[in-house]
Amino acid sequence: MSEGTGDRSTDDVRRRTPARNAELALLLEVAGTPKPGNVDRQRDHPDLHFDHFLAGAVGAAPGLRAAAGDGPLGEAFERAVCGMADQRGGNTQFGALLALCPLVRAASRDDSTHEGVEAAVADTTVDDACAFYRAFDHVGVAVGDPPEEMAALDVRRGSAAVPAVRERGLTLAELMAQSASVDGIAREWTEGFPRTFATAERVVADDGPVSERGARAFLHLLAEEGDTFVAKTSGEAAAEEATERARAVLAGDADAETVAAEFVERGVNPGTTADIVAAGLFVALERGVVV
Amino acid sequence: MSEGTGDRSTDDVRRRTPARNAELALLLEVAGTPKPGNVDRQRDHPDLHFDHFLAGAVGAAPGLRAAAGDGPLGEAFERAVCGMADQRGGNTQFGALLALCPLVRAASRDDSTHEGVEAAVADTTVDDACAFYRAFDHVGVAVGDPPEEMAALDVRRGSAAVPAVRERGLTLAELMAQSASVDGIAREWTEGFPRTFATAERVVADDGPVSERGARAFLHLLAEEGDTFVAKTSGEAAAEEATERARAVLAGDADAETVAAEFVERGVNPGTTADIVAAGLFVALERGVVV
């Protein structure tokens, strides 16, 4: 009945494996409310329902398990995305899974630190980059247009871009570095996950139900920095304004529920910020935060 | 990267294994609202939070995976309960897991029918009964007092009751049969899971988000039959009244949210009904209901 690498006996004090903590982090993230512009316990979007995120988390679990192993990280990510996509909402947690995979790999080596995840990132290969591109075949992800000279590497090409990736010999780490200025998760990959670890510390230091700590962390993250997903889908001005509204909520000058309604009405969806919350919750769980 | 028995390649159309569907069923069940007297998306209890159910489902997953295998079903159940208990809310899904384990076993044999689950039940052994008792060591479960002559088999004795179980040579199926008149899940075990399969049919025939179909099924189940957990914890009169209130909601004579508030105020918790919803959602997912 062993689940293989990483599972313990019933006597083991710490029962959840890194892969299970990652799955739980996804669930706690979507549950946390209010997270203006995102699906949460209290709010669905017109075409995206809370249930889709539940199925996304469960579907991603085998891929997260692979991320906790020793095999290619890119394949683990692709598997997680493929499983996540086994529901009718479409893209629920692509960015969160991209953040989680190297963190899960580091945790499986008992090294949930900047150095540990940087090592997991540095270990990625050209094959991992190819698997990353293949993941786009499984789900529609909103992305910005690449510079013209990089059209061959447009992620929307999915697996069709693989020859170009191999020709350039790009590792997944190098690919992420190229997008770091326009994508918050790519930036986490490239800079040692600073916002993720800061979020984990905030969650550890907070109290109350963990999903609610995540929601508070969401507001702080958005107040500190513009959401790159909003920038891609609604423009830079909308991203700046979303950050201003988050600051207003934290300052007590605006009501979170009102701002949440505004964002949904205007199609403002700070999804990258939510992804970083999921990653931060994972690290917090690994550091012993108890649900 | 294989997860072992039951996991498929990314090309497999049906991606979630029975164990994963069971985990998802637990999550969809707790999400569904309104379910008067139970924790759901919209409502926590004073000492039991939505997060506890998320962690309970994830924690139970390794045990559910074991239930989908060929090993002793009782150990699988005990493992699921032990994992479920890795959160501070206490008992979240004990009854649901008890219902799910034989259903998952039947599904793993591609036989999610009355006959299939009856076979899984009939296959249980004295060892399985002992494992069932050991599960009570891991979590506090509200139960009624057994008849005096059965005091040695009081489940609250947990593993201390194992010698008595072995002395009497009781299989888990026989144990469940002894409690069928006072416990709705034991009755499901004993009668081929009639309410579970009826719930699955209702969910399959319904439409809209699956968690919401589960919430509607909850009201119908409670309207049809008194909840044995309410009977144990609040008395028979309270159980009858809870059923009357569910009928009133379905008839349009009472508002579900008002009834939900009433139940919480009076400590009326139709948990067995919620457990059957989880089981029914599992069978519905196995039968192809898409999230």
Side-chain angles (χ1 to χ4, degrees):
Chain A
M1 287 180 298
S2 166
E3 239 201 344
T5 302
D7 270 2
R8 280 87 160 168
S9 73
T10 56
D11 295 331
D12 200 293
V13 173
R14 176 176 170 276
R15 298 195 189 95
R16 282 191 304 266
T17 61
R20 294 291 180 192
N21 269 341
E23 188 188 349
L24 181 56
L26 290 171
L27 295 168
L28 291 168
E29 187 281 312
V30 70
T33 188
K35 295 194 312 291
N38 287 281
V39 170
D40 62 35
R41 278 182 78 171
Q42 300 286 347
R43 193 168 282 103
D44 299 301
H45 285 178
D47 295 318
L48 204 55
H49 191 275
F50 192 74
D51 292 359
H52 297 136
F53 287 78
L54 300 178
V58 172
L64 292 170
R65 182 181 174 78
D70 297 318
L73 196 63
E75 275 189 53
F77 171 74
E78 184 194 0
R79 186 167 187 184
V81 168
C82 186
M84 174 208 84
D86 186 15
Q87 37 77 20
R88 288 192 293 192
N91 178 23
T92 47
Q93 294 130 324
F94 185 99
L97 292 173
L98 182 58
L100 283 167
C101 280
L103 290 166
V104 168
R105 180 62 54 99
S108 74
R109 296 167 178 167
D110 288 319
D111 194 359
S112 285
T113 64
H114 289 288
E115 294 71 29
V117 70
E118 282 169 335
V121 164
D123 284 349
T124 62
T125 64
V126 175
D127 281 346
D128 291 329
C130 296
F132 173 79
Y133 271 87
R134 286 196 304 271
F136 286 87
D137 288 353
H138 302 299
V139 66
V141 182
V143 294
D145 292 326
E148 195 177 312
E149 64 275 16
M150 287 183 63
L153 294 176
D154 187 340
V155 290
R156 291 169 293 193
R157 299 189 66 211
S159 52
V162 162
V165 173
R166 289 205 183 282
E167 187 189 0
R168 288 163 176 73
L170 278 175
T171 67
L172 185 50
E174 290 165 343
L175 189 67
M176 291 291 112
Q178 289 186 4
S179 301
S181 62
V182 297
D183 184 279
I185 303 304
R187 187 170 164 190
E188 288 292 282
W189 265 67
T190 305
E191 299 185 358
F193 287 70
R195 303 181 77 203
T196 295
F197 285 106
T199 296
E201 284 169 28
R202 181 182 287 281
V203 168
V204 168
D206 201 348
D207 61 17
V210 179
S211 64
E212 295 173 18
R213 303 187 205 185
R216 287 188 285 274
F218 174 91
L219 286 170
H220 284 280
L221 279 166
L222 186 58
E224 288 161 3
E225 201 160 315
D227 187 287
T228 52
F229 188 73
V230 174
K232 284 176 203 174
T233 55
S234 301
E236 287 287 347
E240 285 170 16
E241 188 181 346
T243 287
E244 283 305 316
R245 297 304 280 147
R247 288 176 183 165
V249 171
L250 289 177
D253 298 332
D255 170 64
E257 296 293 338
T258 304
V259 172
E262 282 175 22
F263 282 17
V264 173
E265 190 181 319
R266 297 172 48 214
V268 170
N269 175 8
T272 295
T273 306
D275 294 337
I276 294 173
V277 169
L281 284 169
F282 167 72
V283 175
L285 290 171
E286 282 291 311
R287 288 186 176 171
V289 163
V290 177
V291 174
Chain B
M1 285 183 301
S2 167
E3 238 199 345
T5 303
D7 271 0
R8 281 86 159 169
S9 73
T10 56
D11 295 331
D12 200 291
V13 172
R14 175 174 170 276
R15 297 194 189 94
R16 281 191 304 267
T17 61
R20 295 289 180 192
N21 270 341
E23 188 187 349
L24 181 56
L26 290 171
L27 295 168
L28 291 168
E29 187 280 313
V30 70
T33 189
K35 294 193 315 291
N38 287 280
V39 169
D40 62 34
R41 280 181 77 171
Q42 300 286 348
R43 193 167 279 103
D44 298 302
H45 284 180
D47 294 320
L48 203 55
H49 190 274
F50 192 73
D51 291 1
H52 296 136
F53 287 79
L54 299 179
V58 173
L64 293 170
R65 183 181 175 75
D70 297 317
L73 196 63
E75 275 189 52
F77 170 73
E78 184 194 0
R79 187 168 187 183
V81 168
C82 185
M84 173 208 84
D86 186 17
Q87 37 77 19
R88 288 191 294 192
N91 179 22
T92 47
Q93 295 130 324
F94 185 98
L97 293 172
L98 182 58
L100 283 167
C101 279
L103 290 166
V104 168
R105 180 61 55 99
S108 73
R109 297 167 177 169
D110 288 318
D111 195 0
S112 285
T113 63
H114 289 287
E115 293 73 28
V117 70
E118 281 169 335
V121 164
D123 284 349
T124 62
T125 64
V126 175
D127 282 346
D128 291 328
C130 296
F132 173 78
Y133 272 87
R134 286 196 305 270
F136 287 87
D137 289 352
H138 302 299
V139 65
V141 182
V143 295
D145 292 327
E148 196 177 311
E149 65 275 16
M150 287 183 61
L153 294 175
D154 187 340
V155 290
R156 291 168 293 194
R157 298 189 68 210
S159 52
V162 162
V165 173
R166 291 205 181 281
E167 188 188 0
R168 288 163 176 74
L170 278 175
T171 67
L172 185 49
E174 290 165 343
L175 189 67
M176 291 290 112
Q178 289 184 4
S179 301
S181 62
V182 297
D183 184 280
I185 303 303
R187 187 169 165 191
E188 288 292 283
W189 265 66
T190 305
E191 298 185 358
F193 287 72
R195 303 182 77 203
T196 295
F197 285 107
T199 296
E201 284 168 28
R202 182 182 286 282
V203 168
V204 167
D206 200 348
D207 62 18
V210 179
S211 64
E212 295 174 18
R213 303 187 205 184
R216 287 189 283 273
F218 173 90
L219 286 170
H220 284 279
L221 279 166
L222 186 57
E224 287 161 4
E225 201 159 316
D227 187 286
T228 52
F229 188 74
V230 175
K232 283 175 204 174
T233 55
S234 302
E236 288 286 348
E240 287 170 15
E241 189 181 346
T243 287
E244 283 305 316
R245 296 303 281 147
R247 288 176 183 165
V249 171
L250 290 177
D253 297 333
D255 169 65
E257 297 292 337
T258 304
V259 171
E262 280 175 22
F263 281 19
V264 173
E265 190 181 318
R266 296 174 49 215
V268 170
N269 175 8
T272 295
T273 306
D275 294 337
I276 294 173
V277 170
L281 284 169
F282 167 72
V283 175
L285 290 171
E286 283 291 310
R287 288 186 176 170
V289 163
V290 176
V291 174

